Amino acid sequence: MKKSIFSILCAALVALALSGCASFSEPAEKAETLLYGNIVYNFKCYPNNHGFPENDSKTNGIEIQIQNLKTKKVYFINSKSNGEIIRQNLPEGVYCLKRIQRGFKVTNGWADDMKINFETNNYRFAVNADTVTNLGQIDVNIDIVNIDVTQFTWRPKVIWDKDFSKAYNTYAANHIESPWLDKKWLNAKESFVYYDENNK
């Protein structure tokens, strides 16, 4: 009688252990693609009494919107405090930079969400499996050109497609053990060529 109770108890414990193991989630799959870059928002203004800084730079909290040109799906990326733009596991395909925006607030209470929209044919790149699409350094320059009592006017200028080695080195310094360092890194133009060659 003791043996049968012991056997039943052991079987119950094994079943409980197995059911407990079954409830654990599977480990996340390895990311197959990586989009990377650096960004900075530079504000410039003439001397004023409205609380606008004459020079100011931000790297964090910049929202980057990209769009898959085939599916039309929009993806959102927010820059880190050091200006890094990172997005893993995007579906392969051709993308465009759709919008860059960042909130802007000054000491007198002025606030605005500065949005820069892009044409579909500009700022395009491809995302490929098992590679890194390197956007390099993106500089967003905002010049405040006019201020009055009720509104202000600003002029944007975006510079990109540069400093790819610098972006790679920034990633290497911040992610020293990342397996992506050993993958193929492609700038925007190279990513198109690679995509075309592998999707004929």
Side-chain angles (χ1 to χ4, degrees), residues 2-187:
K2 286 184 179 179
K3 282 187 177 180
S4 61
I5 292 174
F6 180 75
S7 299
I8 293 170
L9 187 58
C10 285
L13 288 172
V14 169
L16 182 63
L18 290 175
S19 66
C21 289
S23 67
F24 291 130
S25 60
E26 291 293 320
E29 291 184 9
K30 179 183 175 184
E32 295 180 353
T33 64
L34 177 65
L35 178 69
Y36 183 78
N38 303 135
I39 191 167
V40 63
Y41 233 66
N42 298 307
F43 298 95
K44 292 184 180 179
C45 187
Y46 54 84
N48 63 92
N49 297 318
H50 299 278
F52 285 80
E54 292 182 38
N55 288 285
D56 191 24
S57 293
K58 303 289 184 187
T59 54
N60 66 308
I62 303 166
E63 182 181 281
I64 299 96
Q65 297 181 22
I66 62 173
Q67 184 175 39
N68 185 301
L69 296 185
K70 184 177 180 180
T71 66
K72 304 304 181 187
K73 183 172 180 178
V74 176
Y75 298 85
F76 299 84
I77 310 169
N78 283 290
S79 66
K80 296 187 174 186
S81 59
N82 58 2
E84 285 188 299
I85 304 165
I86 301 178
R87 182 66 187 250
Q88 294 190 91
N89 235 14
L90 284 166
E92 286 189 283
V94 177
Y95 291 78
C96 71
L97 192 58
K98 184 176 176 65
R99 174 181 288 176
I100 295 177
Q101 67 184 60
R102 192 184 192 287
F104 181 75
K105 189 174 182 179
V106 294
T107 54
N108 72 347
W110 287 83
D112 191 19
D113 203 15
M114 292 185 165
K115 301 173 184 174
I116 305 170
N117 297 312
F118 301 95
E119 296 294 328
T120 301
N121 292 330
N122 298 326
Y123 304 95
R124 294 193 306 158
F125 54 90
V127 171
N128 299 284
D130 211 33
T131 69
V132 181
T133 301
N134 183 1
L135 297 180
Q137 174 70 38
I138 301 175
D139 294 330
V140 181
N141 299 307
I142 302 293
D143 290 329
I144 308 296
V145 295
N146 186 46
I147 311 171
D148 62 32
V149 177
T150 59
Q151 65 180 2
F152 64 92
T153 308
W154 52 280
R155 180 176 57 234
K157 182 179 180 182
V158 178
I159 304 170
W160 86 320
D161 206 24
K162 64 169 195 161
D163 295 341
F164 301 106
S165 295
K166 182 180 176 183
Y168 174 87
N169 291 334
T170 300
Y171 182 87
N174 292 324
H175 311 276
I176 57 176
E177 296 183 358
S178 172
W180 288 107
L181 292 170
D182 299 322
K183 301 291 185 180
K184 186 184 292 289
W185 282 62
L186 305 169
N187 63 35

